[in-house]
Amino acid sequence: MIMVTANPTTKVESIFHPSDFSEASEVAFAHALKIALVARAKLTLLHVETSPSADWQDFPGVRDTLERWGLIPKGSPRSAVGQLGIKIGKVIASSKDPVKACLGFLEMHPVDLIVLAVHQHEGRIRWLEKSVGKPIARAAGQMTLFIPYGVEGFVRGQNGSISLRNILIPVTSKPRPQPSVEATVRLIRNLQLPAGMVTLLHVGPAAEMPSMKLPEDTGWTWQRATKAGEPADTILQAAREFCADLIVMTTEGPHGFLDGLRGSTSERVLQKARCPVANLPVGSMLG
């Protein structure tokens, strides 16, 4: 085990959450809102309708949630939300292609973080029952936090508390592991997390564990682990063994070991993970 401490980090300033108004999206919304609160960031909620049936009242209730979390008094006006240091935008887009609509929005309004609910096995959210989540993350090129369907995640919807104590980072020589280390530090700082454990997992011989520059002043313990086996299954097994609350995977195009959900390893991890998965393309703001 290695005790390390932290450097100043890049701030998350804008978050994007596409919602299909499902129960799974409600869980993802809680994560997006909590991250926006602690980072004092702008949160944009977008719903893509395929027929003129969606209504503004269908969006998750921001004020209702903040009241339930005890952050503003009941019956507060809209101005109370802004007083918490965040901005909320709600957009209803009309399109037969949810992926195209989301990517069109992101092209005009770049963000630092995408928060998505995803149905495992199909890797989708419910718009038109088409695969939506993974294509958005793959094309957008920004860090995406996936909340698998049926997973509570690390933000409690009832009170807004965060339970994030164990983070697992699979590492290999390609793509470089350093961006995932730095992104994890930024996440720890942005969420103002108390002490916890980060496990750097290499699937393969210990001698092939890549070198990494560990951060300073996070207050967290960082440990290295090596395991033999098939990569995806071994990562999932390690996530259970280390009680991971979050898996952070760096990706680097179609030839990377964990390659932006294009390859079998990262896709299989997302399909079976029982905790949120953060996908970090090399070159994104958080990477």
Side-chain angles (χ1 to χ4, degrees):
M1 296 186 184
I2 305 171
M3 288 298 298
V4 294
T5 52
N7 293 320
T9 59
T10 303
K11 186 178 184 297
V12 173
E13 296 183 345
S14 54
I15 301 167
F16 177 66
H17 169 53
S19 174
D20 63 353
F21 301 156
S22 68
E23 181 180 348
S25 279
E26 285 281 348
V27 177
F29 162 71
H31 285 69
L33 180 59
K34 184 64 178 184
I35 296 171
L37 282 166
V38 295
R40 301 176 72 85
K42 179 179 179 180
L43 171 60
T44 300
L45 310 175
L46 181 142
H47 175 73
V48 180
E49 62 172 1
T50 57
S51 61
S53 58
D55 188 86
W56 296 107
Q57 299 301 318
D58 295 329
F59 276 100
V62 174
R63 277 181 290 169
D64 289 345
T65 303
L66 295 175
E67 290 175 4
R68 185 172 69 248
W69 290 356
L71 297 177
I72 59 175
K74 290 186 177 181
S76 295
R78 290 184 179 180
S79 59
V81 176
Q83 292 173 3
L84 295 175
I86 63 173
K87 295 181 179 179
I88 304 292
K90 296 182 180 181
V91 179
I92 294 180
S94 181
S95 175
K96 293 183 179 180
D97 189 336
V99 173
K100 185 177 180 180
C102 288
L103 293 178
F105 178 87
L106 290 169
E107 184 176 353
M108 297 295 294
H109 308 278
V111 300
D112 302 323
L113 174 67
I114 302 169
V115 181
L116 274 171
V118 61
H119 287 246
Q120 292 175 309
H121 307 298
E122 294 86 359
R124 68 192 183 199
I125 52 181
R126 291 177 180 169
W127 291 318
L128 295 182
E129 293 300 306
K130 290 183 178 180
S131 177
V132 175
K134 289 188 292 184
I136 291 174
R138 185 163 58 235
Q142 289 298 343
M143 184 174 186
T144 303
L145 177 64
F146 292 99
I147 312 296
Y149 182 81
V151 169
E152 185 178 15
F154 53 81
V155 175
R156 301 294 175 256
Q158 281 302 110
N159 58 22
S161 62
I162 296 178
S163 179
L164 183 51
R165 299 292 183 270
N166 295 287
I167 299 175
L168 177 67
I169 307 177
V171 298
T172 188
S173 297
K174 184 177 177 63
R176 295 187 309 111
Q178 196 62 41
S180 57
V181 172
E182 295 171 0
T184 299
V185 176
R186 289 170 182 144
L187 184 67
I188 290 170
R189 287 181 64 88
N190 275 292
L191 294 181
Q192 304 169 14
L193 298 175
M197 173 77 75
V198 177
T199 300
L200 303 162
L201 172 70
H202 175 66
V203 181
E208 297 179 6
M209 164 77 83
S211 61
M212 290 159 281
K213 181 181 179 181
L214 296 181
E216 299 177 349
D217 298 331
T218 59
W220 280 50
T221 299
W222 294 62
Q223 67 174 356
R224 303 171 192 261
T226 58
K227 292 182 178 293
E230 191 281 328
D233 290 342
T234 304
I235 292 169
L236 291 165
Q237 179 184 0
R240 293 189 295 269
E241 178 183 338
F242 295 113
C243 301
D245 302 307
L246 174 68
I247 301 172
V248 178
M249 304 194 303
T250 305
T251 62
E252 190 177 58
H255 301 295
F257 176 69
L258 297 172
D259 54 5
L261 302 182
R262 294 181 178 88
S264 60
T265 299
S266 50
E267 187 167 357
R268 286 183 62 195
V269 170
L270 178 59
Q271 286 175 348
K272 297 183 179 180
R274 300 312 298 161
C275 66
V277 177
N279 174 52
L280 177 70
V282 171
S284 64
M285 187 280 286
L286 290 176

